[in-house]
Amino acid sequence: MNSPRTTNSTPHKPTCKNEPSTNATIKLFGIDSDSVQASGVKATLTADRGLFDNKKNELELFENIRVDTSNGMKARLSHAMVYQKEHRIVSKEPVTAEMPAGTIRSSSMTLQTQTRVAAFDGNVQVRLLPGASQSANRPSIGIGGDNRQPIDVV
């Protein structure tokens, strides 16, 4: 398998068990993908293994899934489905997302990749870090007390 590509990304270097031209499903190991978003943000996705369905253009990722971006966003998952035609990523297992403004943990997540809208569901916990992404034109988050302390939403 020579430099497989995913939509809107640069080549990545997984190893595969099946020849893509002869099988509908490709087993991937050591997934390591780099991409650049339209905004210029660089993203790296790694996973221990996955299955790519050529016919459906769907990628199922397993174990130690890590997404890291150049703007400070990090996501950690153990299982996810990437529906490329629908521009959607779904995880029905626990998810942790970290960004400069705080952290979100939940039992599941759906991310619409075109609109960059994520829905977190089940046991959602949010920790906001006031001032972490504060600009001069925005007031800081404050819910009484010391507005420099983190805010936990559960």
Side-chain angles (χ1 to χ4, degrees):
M1 180 173 199
N2 295 327
S3 295
R5 291 181 181 265
T6 57
T7 306
N8 298 325
S9 70
T10 55
H12 52 107
K13 307 160 198 73
T15 59
C16 74
K17 191 148 184 141
N18 303 356
E19 178 58 39
S21 62
T22 61
N23 293 298
T25 302
I26 303 166
K27 295 179 182 178
L28 303 169
F29 302 92
I31 299 166
D32 184 4
S33 175
D34 297 311
S35 63
V36 179
Q37 299 172 2
S39 64
V41 173
K42 295 177 184 176
T44 299
L45 174 129
T46 60
D48 288 352
R49 59 189 183 92
L51 294 172
F52 182 71
D53 187 322
N54 264 335
K55 290 181 182 178
K56 294 180 181 179
N57 201 22
E58 294 176 356
L59 175 63
E60 186 170 11
L61 298 170
F62 301 94
E63 300 168 0
N64 198 29
I65 304 164
R66 302 170 66 89
V67 179
D68 295 290
T69 67
S70 61
N71 66 357
M73 195 282 295
K74 298 177 183 195
R76 303 295 181 257
L77 308 93
S78 59
H79 180 262
M81 285 295 302
V82 180
Y83 301 98
Q84 292 188 27
K85 290 179 183 177
E86 300 170 18
H87 306 284
R88 187 168 55 105
I89 300 172
V90 176
S91 177
K92 294 182 180 179
E93 294 188 17
V95 175
T96 300
E98 297 177 18
M99 59 214 86
T103 303
I104 302 171
R105 298 181 200 289
S106 70
S107 298
S108 64
M109 176 206 70
T110 300
L111 172 66
Q112 302 294 336
T113 59
Q114 273 190 321
T115 59
R116 298 183 345 192
V117 173
F120 296 89
D121 192 35
N123 196 28
V124 178
Q125 300 174 4
V126 178
R127 173 165 255 212
L128 300 173
L129 302 173
S133 63
Q134 182 178 330
S135 72
N137 298 332
R138 287 194 206 161
S140 64
I141 300 169
I143 305 178
D146 185 352
N147 66 4
R148 295 170 298 192
Q149 296 300 314
I151 299 169
D152 293 320
V153 181
V154 293

